[in-house]
Amino acid sequence: MRVAVIGGGPGGLYFAALAKQLSPAWSITVWERNAQGDAFGFGVVFSDETLDGIAQADPEVFAAMSAGFARWSDIDVRYDGQVRTSGGHGFAALDRNRLRAILEERCAALGVEVRYRTEAPPVEQLSAEYDLVVAADGVRSPTRESYPGSFGTELDERSCRYMWLATDRVFEAFTFIVEQRDFGAVQVHAYPFDERRSTFIVEIEEDAWRRAGFEALADREFARGESDEESVRRCEEILADHLGGHRLIPNASKWIRFTTVRNASWRHENVVLLGDAAHTAHFSIGSGTKLAMEDALALAASLHEHPSVAEALAAYEAERKPVVESTQRAAQASLEWFENIGRYTGQGVDQFAFNLLTRSRRVTYGNLRERDAAFVDAVDGAFADGPSVPPMFRPLRLAGLTLRNRVVVPPLATYSATDGLPSGFERTQLAAHALGGAGLVFAGSVAVGADGRSTPNCTGLYTAEQEHAWRRVVAAVREVSDAPLGIQLTHAGRRAATTTPGPDGIGRPLGAEGWPTLAASALPWEPGGPTPREATEADLDQAVADFAAAAARADRAGFDVLELQFGHGHLVSGFLSPLTNTRRDEYGGSPAGRLRFPLRVLAAARAAWPAGKPLVVRISACDWAEGGTTEAEAVEIARALAAGGADAIDVSTGEVVAYQRPRYGRSYQTPFADLIRNATGVPTIAVGAISSYDDANSIVLAGRADLVAVGRAHLWDPMWTLHAAVEQGYSGPGARWPQSWLAGSRKPAGPRGDRVPPRLQLLREEAAPVHRRWLPTAGPRPLAVAGSC
């Protein structure tokens, strides 16, 4: 088989070496436009997981790499003139040029032909002449651009400017520097990669970059390989306190913006993408070289395991793409955190350090505790009066109500009502969740009028009979639990009159059995669906009155907290989103116009609801569709709702239009709660794909939200909150077991739980030190870090 590799970077070379090892008879040619020995870039960082793969795949390459590694386990966060250190992480870094030399030598020894200083022939020619073409030709891949219809490339260029540099200051750990200056914040990602130098990446938000004077310095064309020396000197001035008299070292260093590369497919016939040509992930969570070498291993293995190129390329993409997409989700969260770092520069140093370390959502409260318990104890102690209480079990005052912990059971519709009356199942579910230990349990969603029900089986609160039924439900729950109870009120708008949702979570129009629906504008939920009637002034007056009447009924029924559903495409949500509100009267147009009706509803409900009882509003902070609600508008909406009497904002997203494209993932909506909380100071509830107590602790301690709504996990385990307390060894006032169930408050022993293992080691292995610094003069060794956590 004849194989062409376009690009002689680490990814292309490593693939060529591995493929040649597995199939010595193959003819493999690599085209590299630069000369052998040309120096580009600085250090690259590897995880232990990636290194284990390299060690197994090619021990010779691994041995050569290991001889040049800088190793350490600490992360230093330098912020507000102080340093906080978290240990136990484990890093290995290497000079990128040394890595390339190792792979060049390996390719030469195996008989791979590498054509230096040679541009690759057109990919169409290579595809015709070779059995396989591997395109490892970088972020701006010409190969990828040759087949746009096949690859479906999406390029997301971000707003921050960054510059890749080195310094002759040898840092002892992975170091994040956040320097607040008069022009804004500047951040540095730095790490050592040999005994003489460290990588030093300077990043700054666009407006701050301009205010710092960099725009004028960079306002010219730079030749290939030329550095922006004036900007480098300016960075030295700004960051002099952290360089300690050392210099910054450029290498074709200029200000650039990071581009996230995504491709719908990684292959076209016998052409396949590898490394940055296929995908990129922000440098704040790791090295693109690491990902490229993982690609190379997977591609070589797939070619070895499958009888045809087509099958091998399909298997390669099927194996690697989910891994890369997971990495890109984490990288996106990290990238956005640094883009918006100004939100967090008012936090104390301990909380800021924790927030930074958990920004990607891959590293969590529990994960950090396993690595360095002393660091987490210090952050816990700064957050409250001592580290003994997990963050999710700290109390919170909301209006006149004190919640014993930060866990919320959100409204979980049972679709079991008849004529809007709550069923026995509704009562049982509410009691089960109240007994399960959550700080606040919601019923819902509850319609304020018969035409506002999503389905015929939804509950309501628009008749005296329904009010009495809810009063009985609340009384029954009060007999067994004192957990605060909330109720969510809504009018489903154009999402009314549907069937009970099926496995896909979507209800279908009822057809002849349905009823006329109402919306901000006469736009159907989906093409071919029933068209709602555009609400008139009289309709709006009636809706306002219905919300007020239902709020008064909820109070008389005994509920402690009221939530208004202003999201998910329901009636009020339809006014807030520009995608669903095309009105030309005073209720449409600008955000202020679109807020007019929601604020009328809020004012009426607030007047009917006691001042000492909390009132929460749920919104969709993002529509997940082009032209929808922006982040700035979401903040404006939240501010207006808080000014109108909302005590907290329950921050959800989506379900506003049927053609949405959400970026699903673990706790994927939390960044929007974070945005609103830190931009407005209004308490927020984070909701959406949160199912672990570890995530709940991380969200609260980092200051991303005040409360955490856990929905489906409570359907799986109604005792989720109390079980989370047991798992963490917590038994304080934030997790009170029902007296009748105290005997079950210890986790039962599992299989072979009574087995005591024997000692099988003559000499015990010493535990790895938590703190390991890179000290090349004496070799890496444990270090007690003075003045740090």
Side-chain angles (χ1 to χ4, degrees):
M1 191 157 110
R2 301 181 70 224
V3 180
V5 180
I6 306 173
L13 292 171
Y14 188 48
F15 164 76
L18 292 178
K20 190 70 172 175
Q21 283 183 75
L22 292 172
S23 302
W26 286 8
S27 172
I28 302 177
T29 305
V30 180
W31 278 266
E32 170 53 46
R33 67 179 181 175
N34 296 304
Q36 186 173 15
D38 280 357
F40 293 101
F42 303 105
V44 293
V45 181
F46 293 95
S47 67
D48 290 340
E49 183 180 52
T50 304
L51 292 177
D52 287 345
I54 294 172
Q56 188 276 334
D58 194 326
E60 288 190 35
V61 167
F62 178 74
M65 290 172 62
S66 297
F69 277 146
R71 289 186 178 271
W72 69 95
S73 69
D74 281 355
I75 297 176
D76 288 348
V77 179
R78 295 171 175 253
Y79 166 73
D80 197 25
Q82 301 181 63
V83 180
R84 293 294 183 267
T85 298
S86 171
H89 295 273
F91 294 96
L94 183 68
D95 184 340
R96 186 180 188 277
N97 297 296
R98 175 61 187 142
L99 172 62
R100 207 176 81 176
I102 290 169
L103 295 172
E104 288 171 345
E105 291 167 11
R106 185 66 172 140
C107 283
L110 291 167
V112 173
E113 180 184 2
V114 182
R115 299 181 182 178
Y116 297 102
R117 284 190 166 178
T118 306
E119 292 284 351
V123 66
E124 295 85 356
Q125 177 184 335
L126 292 176
S127 178
E129 296 176 356
Y130 286 79
D131 300 293
L132 172 66
V133 180
V134 179
D137 49 352
V139 173
R140 305 296 175 190
S141 167
T143 303
R144 194 181 60 222
E145 294 173 2
S146 297
Y147 304 108
S150 295
F151 294 122
T153 305
E154 176 190 334
L155 302 178
D156 179 15
E157 186 176 73
R158 306 303 297 190
S159 59
C160 279
R161 303 286 185 134
Y162 73 99
M163 182 183 290
W164 209 289
L165 300 158
T167 176
D168 55 2
R169 173 171 183 178
V170 181
F171 286 93
E172 297 180 3
F174 204 114
T175 303
F176 291 103
I177 300 168
V178 179
E179 183 79 11
Q180 189 70 23
R181 303 297 291 262
D182 57 353
F183 54 78
V186 58
Q187 58 252 23
V188 174
H189 313 249
Y191 55 86
F193 62 86
D194 62 22
E195 68 280 358
R196 298 178 295 110
R197 292 167 298 169
S198 300
T199 295
F200 198 89
I201 307 168
V202 182
E203 187 178 25
I204 186 168
E205 185 268 330
E206 177 90 9
D207 290 340
W209 179 79
R210 290 196 177 96
R211 289 192 296 269
F214 287 115
E215 183 177 31
L217 300 178
D219 189 22
R220 68 178 181 86
E221 289 292 325
F222 292 91
R224 186 172 184 269
E226 183 185 6
S227 295
D228 181 353
E229 296 284 355
E230 289 186 272
S231 288
V232 174
R233 301 288 81 79
R234 173 79 169 124
C235 288
E236 282 183 337
E237 294 170 8
I238 293 170
L239 297 161
D241 290 346
H242 302 282
L243 289 168
H246 293 267
R247 64 191 176 99
L248 292 178
I249 304 168
N251 183 341
S253 301
K254 297 176 281 290
W255 291 110
I256 53 178
R257 293 186 179 95
F258 186 82
T259 299
T260 300
V261 176
R262 299 181 179 91
N263 286 283
S265 173
W266 294 2
R267 62 193 195 278
H268 168 81
E269 297 177 354
N270 65 337
V271 179
V272 66
L273 304 177
L274 184 147
D276 284 354
H279 50 73
T280 59
H282 193 251
F283 51 81
S284 59
I285 71 155
S287 159
T289 298
K290 163 192 172 299
L291 286 176
M293 292 181 71
E294 290 175 354
D295 285 354
L297 189 152
L299 179 56
S302 294
L303 289 163
H304 183 68
E305 292 166 354
H306 295 274
S308 71
V309 168
E311 290 174 279
L313 298 191
Y316 158 67
E317 183 172 333
E319 177 183 330
R320 274 300 287 167
K321 201 173 183 186
V323 176
V324 167
E325 287 173 345
S326 174
T327 300
Q328 287 187 314
R329 284 193 295 271
Q332 188 73 15
S334 180
L335 173 157
E336 291 175 359
W337 193 93
F338 281 109
E339 283 182 340
N340 298 292
I341 200 167
R343 294 180 194 165
Y344 314 112
T345 49
Q347 291 183 330
V349 62
D350 296 289
Q351 187 179 38
F352 181 88
F354 178 85
N355 195 351
L356 186 153
L357 292 172
T358 58
R359 68 197 180 278
S360 73
R361 304 195 288 276
R362 279 193 165 183
V363 176
T364 61
Y365 177 88
N367 183 262
L368 283 176
R369 182 169 286 286
E370 288 178 6
R371 297 168 189 252
D372 187 351
F375 170 79
V376 176
D377 282 346
V379 180
D380 269 343
F383 180 72
D385 297 328
S388 60
V389 179
M392 64 182 284
F393 290 111
R394 309 278 168 81
L396 178 72
R397 184 80 173 171
L398 198 61
L401 179 67
T402 298
L403 306 179
R404 67 170 62 100
N405 62 52
R406 305 302 184 93
V407 180
V408 175
V409 180
L412 299 167
T414 64
Y415 303 107
S416 61
T418 302
D419 295 327
L421 295 170
S423 66
F425 190 90
E426 188 89 35
R427 180 178 63 250
T428 302
Q429 175 174 283
L430 206 59
H433 289 147
L435 286 165
L440 174 60
V441 179
F442 274 107
S445 72
V446 180
V448 299
D451 64 340
R453 292 172 298 160
S454 295
T455 77
N457 303 114
C458 286
T459 53
L461 193 46
Y462 48 87
T463 69
E465 186 181 5
Q466 291 163 356
E467 178 184 329
H468 294 322
W470 278 115
R471 187 179 300 155
R472 290 192 296 272
V473 168
V474 172
V477 176
R478 290 274 185 265
E479 288 182 8
V480 296
S481 172
D482 63 352
L485 300 179
I487 186 169
Q488 184 195 72
L489 300 180
T490 190
H491 186 301
R494 67 175 186 164
R495 300 197 67 186
T498 67
T499 62
T500 298
D504 61 357
I506 303 297
R508 307 301 172 193
L510 284 170
E513 298 178 3
W515 53 86
T517 56
L518 191 68
S521 300
L523 301 172
W525 165 253
E526 57 188 350
T531 300
R533 179 167 54 84
E534 182 172 302
T536 65
E537 188 73 38
D539 293 326
L540 300 183
D541 290 344
Q542 184 61 55
V544 170
D546 287 344
F547 271 98
R553 287 191 173 103
D555 176 43
R556 292 194 297 267
F559 285 99
D560 304 293
V561 181
L562 179 68
E563 178 168 278
L564 304 178
Q565 171 62 292
F566 284 10
H568 293 181
H570 286 211
L571 177 63
V572 183
S573 169
F575 280 83
L576 289 171
S577 171
L579 297 177
T580 51
N581 183 344
T582 59
R583 301 173 72 105
R584 296 182 180 276
D585 60 8
E586 67 268 31
Y587 294 104
S590 68
R594 302 199 305 270
L595 269 162
R596 191 180 303 276
F597 173 62
L599 289 175
R600 282 187 61 193
V601 172
L602 174 58
R606 181 75 271 182
W609 185 251
K613 288 186 175 184
L615 191 155
V616 179
V617 179
R618 172 175 282 199
I619 65 170
S620 289
C622 170
D623 298 337
W624 299 114
E626 187 175 351
T629 302
T630 66
E631 288 191 356
E633 288 173 339
V635 170
E636 183 178 349
I637 289 167
R639 281 201 178 104
L641 295 174
D647 297 299
I649 306 296
D650 185 354
V651 187
S652 188
T653 65
E655 298 188 50
V656 174
V657 291
Y659 53 88
Q660 65 175 2
R661 295 184 62 190
R663 293 178 184 169
Y664 291 119
R666 198 176 98 250
S667 60
Y668 72 106
Q669 296 180 148
T670 298
F672 297 95
D674 183 345
L675 162 70
I676 287 171
R677 182 184 190 272
N678 287 290
T680 68
V682 179
T684 60
I685 304 174
V687 63
I690 302 168
S691 58
S692 76
Y693 62 79
D694 199 9
D695 283 332
N697 282 325
S698 300
I699 290 166
V700 172
L701 187 56
R704 297 181 186 121
D706 301 272
L707 293 162
V708 179
V710 179
R712 294 189 182 187
H714 271 110
L715 294 178
W716 171 258
D717 175 13
M719 303 286 290
W720 184 89
T721 305
L722 292 179
H723 289 161
V726 172
E727 293 286 349
Q728 296 174 82
Y730 173 72
S731 59
R736 292 196 341 230
W737 278 76
Q739 186 67 32
S740 301
W741 288 354
L742 275 177
S745 61
R746 287 186 298 175
K747 188 176 182 178
R752 304 185 72 192
D754 59 345
R755 180 179 180 269
V756 180
R759 175 171 177 160
L760 299 175
Q761 292 177 316
L762 178 62
L763 298 175
R764 298 188 191 277
E765 292 183 7
E766 289 188 22
V770 172
H771 294 291
R772 190 183 190 200
R773 314 286 284 184
W774 173 241
L775 300 170
T777 54
R781 60 181 177 83
L783 180 73
V785 186
S788 65
C789 300

